[in-house]
Amino acid sequence: MKKLGLTLIAVGALWATNSFAGDDEKLARMWKSKCGSCHGADGKGETKQGKKMGIADMTTAAWQKEFTDEKIKETIMKGISREKNGKQQDMDPLEKELDAAQIDQLVKFARSLAKK
Ligand code: HEC
């Protein structure tokens, strides 16, 4: 019985950490659901869509240097529809779906993907 009690406490603690997930975790989840299907949870673009559309690896220093915060923001808001190196590249505009604070958070997340 004592053991069961301890197990229940452990399960309860786990549940509590999950339901009061920190901002970082929420942000990672937003990234995964809005960006991850193409760019990958890790931003490397190693997804089916990423390969098909020739998506760049966001974690490289070159990428991080090329894309300013402003440019990332603009891309999230306006999306992409273009052809590059013979590949059609499409990314949906999200300015109607996300608010300014959410977009800022995603820019921050993109920065956090940089190789350390
Ligand atoms: C439907 C697939 C798809 C989704 C979802 C998606 N992107 Fe993209 N994204 C692309 C493609 C394709 C490109 C162009 C290839 C590249 O530059 O890597 C791109 C490029 C970018 C670029 C570089 C801009 C440029 O001109 O190349 C940024 C920044 C970016 N995406 C951010 C995001 C963020 C942040 C999200 C989530 C809010 C997101 N993307 C969601 C497909 C997607």
Side-chain angles (χ1 to χ4, degrees):
M1 205 53 209
K2 206 171 174 190
K3 228 178 180 172
L4 178 66
L6 279 177
T7 311
L8 284 178
I9 289 168
V11 170
L14 258 182
W15 178 80
T17 24
N18 260 329
S19 44
F20 299 105
D23 287 348
D24 283 357
E25 204 175 309
K26 258 190 240 159
L27 178 53
R29 232 183 285 147
M30 177 161 72
W31 177 275
K32 241 191 206 162
S33 70
K34 303 282 179 216
C35 321
S37 58
C38 296
H39 292 280
D42 58 5
K44 291 191 173 168
E46 290 167 345
T47 63
K48 207 168 155 197
Q49 291 275 58
K51 293 201 180 100
K52 203 173 90 192
M53 300 198 283
I55 293 184
D57 181 350
M58 292 178 161
T59 68
T60 63
W63 194 94
Q64 293 287 331
K65 201 173 147 202
E66 181 174 353
F67 296 100
T68 59
D69 288 3
E70 276 311 308
K71 177 78 191 154
I72 298 175
K73 232 187 250 185
E74 190 192 310
T75 306
I76 298 172
M77 282 162 54
K78 306 285 178 208
I80 291 176
S81 183
R82 66 185 180 207
E83 205 185 302
K84 197 175 158 190
N85 305 327
K87 287 179 171 167
Q88 180 63 32
Q89 300 184 322
D90 289 299
M91 175 173 150
D92 287 337
L94 293 175
E95 61 187 338
K96 294 207 177 72
E97 205 177 308
L98 299 173
D99 60 33
Q102 287 174 310
I103 292 173
D104 282 345
Q105 291 278 295
L106 289 168
V107 171
K108 212 173 98 190
F109 191 89
R111 286 281 170 248
S112 76
L113 296 169
K115 276 195 197 114
K116 305 259 158 40

Coordinates of all heavy atoms in Angstrom, one line a residue, residues 31 35-60 63-64 87 89 91 109-110 113 115:
W31 N 5.9 25.7 -32.5 CA 6.8 25.5 -33.6 C 6.5 24.2 -34.3 O 6.4 24.2 -35.5 CB 8.3 25.5 -33.1 CG 9.2 25.3 -34.2 CD1 9.6 24.0 -34.7 CD2 9.9 26.2 -35.0 NE1 10.4 24.2 -35.8 CE2 10.6 25.5 -36.0 CE3 9.9 27.6 -35.0 CZ2 11.4 26.2 -37.0 CZ3 10.6 28.3 -36.0 CH2 11.4 27.6 -37.0
C35 N 5.3 24.9 -37.9 CA 6.5 25.0 -38.7 C 7.2 23.6 -38.9 O 7.8 23.4 -39.9 CB 7.6 25.9 -38.1 SG 6.9 27.4 -37.4
G36 N 6.9 22.8 -37.9 CA 7.7 21.5 -37.9 C 7.4 20.6 -39.1 O 8.3 19.8 -39.5
S37 N 6.2 20.6 -39.6 CA 5.9 19.7 -40.7 C 6.8 19.9 -41.9 O 7.0 18.9 -42.6 CB 4.4 19.8 -41.1 OG 4.2 21.1 -41.6
C38 N 7.3 21.0 -42.1 CA 8.2 21.3 -43.2 C 9.7 21.5 -42.7 O 10.6 20.9 -43.2 CB 7.8 22.5 -43.9 SG 6.2 22.4 -44.7
H39 N 9.8 22.3 -41.7 CA 11.2 22.7 -41.2 C 11.7 21.7 -40.2 O 12.9 21.7 -39.9 CB 11.2 24.1 -40.6 CG 11.0 25.1 -41.6 ND1 12.0 25.6 -42.4 CD2 9.9 25.8 -42.0 CE1 11.5 26.5 -43.3 NE2 10.2 26.7 -43.0
G40 N 10.9 20.8 -39.7 CA 11.3 19.8 -38.6 C 11.3 20.5 -37.3 O 11.5 21.7 -37.2
A41 N 11.1 19.7 -36.2 CA 11.1 20.2 -34.9 C 12.4 20.8 -34.5 O 12.5 21.7 -33.7 CB 10.8 19.1 -33.9
D42 N 13.5 20.3 -35.2 CA 14.8 20.8 -34.9 C 15.3 21.9 -35.9 O 16.4 22.4 -35.9 CB 15.8 19.7 -34.9 CG 15.8 18.9 -36.2 OD1 15.1 19.3 -37.2 OD2 16.5 17.9 -36.3
G43 N 14.4 22.3 -36.9 CA 14.7 23.3 -37.9 C 15.7 22.9 -39.0 O 16.1 23.7 -39.8
K44 N 16.0 21.6 -39.0 CA 17.0 21.2 -40.0 C 16.3 20.9 -41.4 O 17.1 20.7 -42.4 CB 17.7 20.0 -39.6 CG 18.6 20.3 -38.4 CD 19.5 19.1 -38.1 CE 20.5 19.5 -37.0 NZ 21.3 18.4 -36.5
G45 N 15.0 20.9 -41.5 CA 14.4 20.7 -42.7 C 14.5 19.3 -43.3 O 14.2 19.1 -44.5
E46 N 14.8 18.4 -42.4 CA 14.9 17.0 -42.8 C 13.6 16.3 -42.8 O 13.4 15.2 -42.1 CB 16.0 16.3 -42.0 CG 17.4 16.8 -42.3 CD 18.4 16.3 -41.2 OE1 18.0 15.8 -40.2 OE2 19.6 16.4 -41.5
T47 N 12.6 16.8 -43.4 CA 11.3 16.2 -43.5 C 10.9 15.9 -44.9 O 11.7 16.3 -45.8 CB 10.2 17.2 -43.0 OG1 10.2 18.4 -43.9 CG2 10.5 17.7 -41.6
K48 N 9.8 15.2 -45.1 CA 9.4 14.8 -46.4 C 9.2 16.1 -47.3 O 9.7 16.2 -48.4 CB 8.1 14.0 -46.4 CG 7.9 13.1 -47.5 CD 6.8 12.1 -47.2 CE 6.2 11.6 -48.4 NZ 4.8 11.0 -48.2
Q49 N 8.5 17.0 -46.7 CA 8.2 18.3 -47.4 C 9.5 19.0 -47.6 O 9.8 19.6 -48.6 CB 7.3 19.2 -46.5 CG 5.9 18.7 -46.4 CD 5.1 19.1 -47.6 OE1 5.4 18.8 -48.7 NE2 4.0 19.8 -47.3
G50 N 10.4 19.0 -46.6 CA 11.6 19.7 -46.6 C 12.5 19.2 -47.8 O 13.1 20.0 -48.5
K51 N 12.5 17.9 -48.0 CA 13.3 17.4 -49.1 C 12.7 17.7 -50.4 O 13.4 18.1 -51.4 CB 13.5 15.9 -48.9 CG 14.3 15.5 -47.7 CD 14.8 14.1 -47.7 CE 15.6 13.8 -46.5 NZ 14.9 13.0 -45.5
K52 N 11.4 17.6 -50.5 CA 10.7 17.9 -51.8 C 10.9 19.4 -52.2 O 11.1 19.6 -53.4 CB 9.2 17.6 -51.6 CG 8.5 17.3 -52.9 CD 7.1 16.9 -52.6 CE 6.1 18.1 -52.6 NZ 4.8 17.7 -52.2
M53 N 10.9 20.3 -51.2 CA 10.9 21.7 -51.6 C 12.3 22.3 -51.4 O 12.5 23.5 -51.6 CB 9.9 22.5 -50.7 CG 8.5 22.0 -51.0 SD 7.2 23.1 -50.5 CE 7.2 22.9 -48.7
G54 N 13.3 21.5 -51.0 CA 14.7 22.0 -50.9 C 14.8 23.0 -49.7 O 15.4 24.1 -49.9
I55 N 14.3 22.6 -48.6 CA 14.3 23.6 -47.4 C 15.7 23.6 -46.8 O 16.3 22.5 -46.5 CB 13.2 23.2 -46.4 CG1 11.8 23.5 -47.0 CG2 13.4 24.0 -45.1 CD1 10.6 23.3 -46.1
A56 N 16.1 24.8 -46.4 CA 17.4 25.0 -45.9 C 17.5 24.6 -44.4 O 16.5 24.6 -43.7 CB 17.9 26.4 -46.1
D57 N 18.7 24.3 -43.9 CA 18.9 24.0 -42.5 C 19.1 25.3 -41.7 O 20.0 26.0 -41.9 CB 20.2 23.1 -42.5 CG 20.6 22.7 -41.0 OD1 20.0 23.2 -40.1 OD2 21.5 21.9 -40.9
M58 N 18.1 25.5 -40.9 CA 18.1 26.8 -40.1 C 19.1 26.8 -39.0 O 19.3 27.9 -38.4 CB 16.7 27.0 -39.4 CG 15.6 27.2 -40.4 SD 14.1 27.3 -39.4 CE 13.0 28.2 -40.6
T59 N 19.7 25.7 -38.7 CA 20.7 25.7 -37.6 C 22.1 26.1 -37.9 O 22.9 26.3 -37.0 CB 20.8 24.3 -37.0 OG1 21.4 23.4 -37.9 CG2 19.4 23.7 -36.6
T60 N 22.3 26.3 -39.2 CA 23.7 26.7 -39.6 C 24.0 28.2 -39.4 O 23.0 29.0 -39.4 CB 23.9 26.4 -41.1 OG1 23.1 27.2 -41.9 CG2 23.7 25.0 -41.4
W63 N 22.8 30.3 -42.3 CA 21.3 30.6 -42.3 C 21.0 31.7 -41.3 O 20.3 32.7 -41.6 CB 20.5 29.4 -42.0 CG 19.1 29.5 -42.4 CD1 18.4 29.2 -43.6 CD2 18.1 30.1 -41.6 NE1 17.1 29.5 -43.5 CE2 16.8 30.1 -42.3 CE3 18.1 30.7 -40.3 CZ2 15.6 30.6 -41.8 CZ3 16.8 31.2 -39.8 CH2 15.7 31.2 -40.5
Q64 N 21.5 31.6 -40.1 CA 21.3 32.5 -39.1 C 21.7 33.9 -39.4 O 21.1 34.9 -39.0 CB 21.9 32.0 -37.8 CG 21.3 30.8 -37.2 CD 19.9 31.0 -36.6 OE1 19.6 32.0 -36.1 NE2 19.1 29.9 -36.6
K87 N 12.8 23.7 -57.9 CA 11.8 23.2 -57.0 C 10.8 24.3 -56.6 O 11.1 25.4 -56.4 CB 12.5 22.8 -55.7 CG 13.3 21.5 -55.9 CD 14.0 21.0 -54.7 CE 14.6 19.6 -54.9 NZ 15.6 19.2 -53.9
Q89 N 8.6 26.1 -54.1 CA 8.7 26.3 -52.6 C 7.4 27.0 -52.2 O 7.2 28.1 -52.6 CB 9.9 27.1 -52.3 CG 11.2 26.4 -52.7 CD 12.5 27.1 -52.2 OE1 12.5 28.3 -52.3 NE2 13.5 26.3 -51.8
M91 N 5.1 28.2 -48.7 CA 4.9 28.3 -47.2 C 3.7 29.2 -47.1 O 3.7 30.3 -47.6 CB 6.2 28.8 -46.6 CG 6.1 29.1 -45.1 SD 7.7 29.6 -44.5 CE 7.1 30.6 -43.1
F109 N 12.4 31.4 -31.3 CA 12.7 30.0 -31.4 C 13.6 29.7 -32.6 O 14.5 28.9 -32.4 CB 11.3 29.2 -31.6 CG 11.5 27.7 -31.4 CD1 11.4 27.2 -30.1 CD2 11.8 26.9 -32.5 CE1 11.6 25.8 -29.9 CE2 12.0 25.5 -32.3 CZ 11.9 25.0 -31.0
A110 N 13.4 30.3 -33.7 CA 14.2 30.1 -34.9 C 15.7 30.4 -34.5 O 16.6 29.7 -34.9 CB 13.8 30.9 -36.1
L113 N 17.6 27.8 -32.5 CA 18.0 26.5 -33.2 C 19.4 26.6 -33.6 O 20.0 25.5 -34.0 CB 17.1 26.3 -34.4 CG 15.6 26.1 -34.2 CD1 14.8 26.2 -35.5 CD2 15.3 24.8 -33.5
K115 N 23.2 26.3 -34.1 CA 24.2 25.3 -33.5 C 25.0 26.1 -32.4 O 25.4 27.2 -32.6 CB 25.1 24.8 -34.6 CG 24.6 23.7 -35.3 CD 25.7 23.0 -36.1 CE 25.1 22.1 -37.2 NZ 25.3 22.6 -38.6

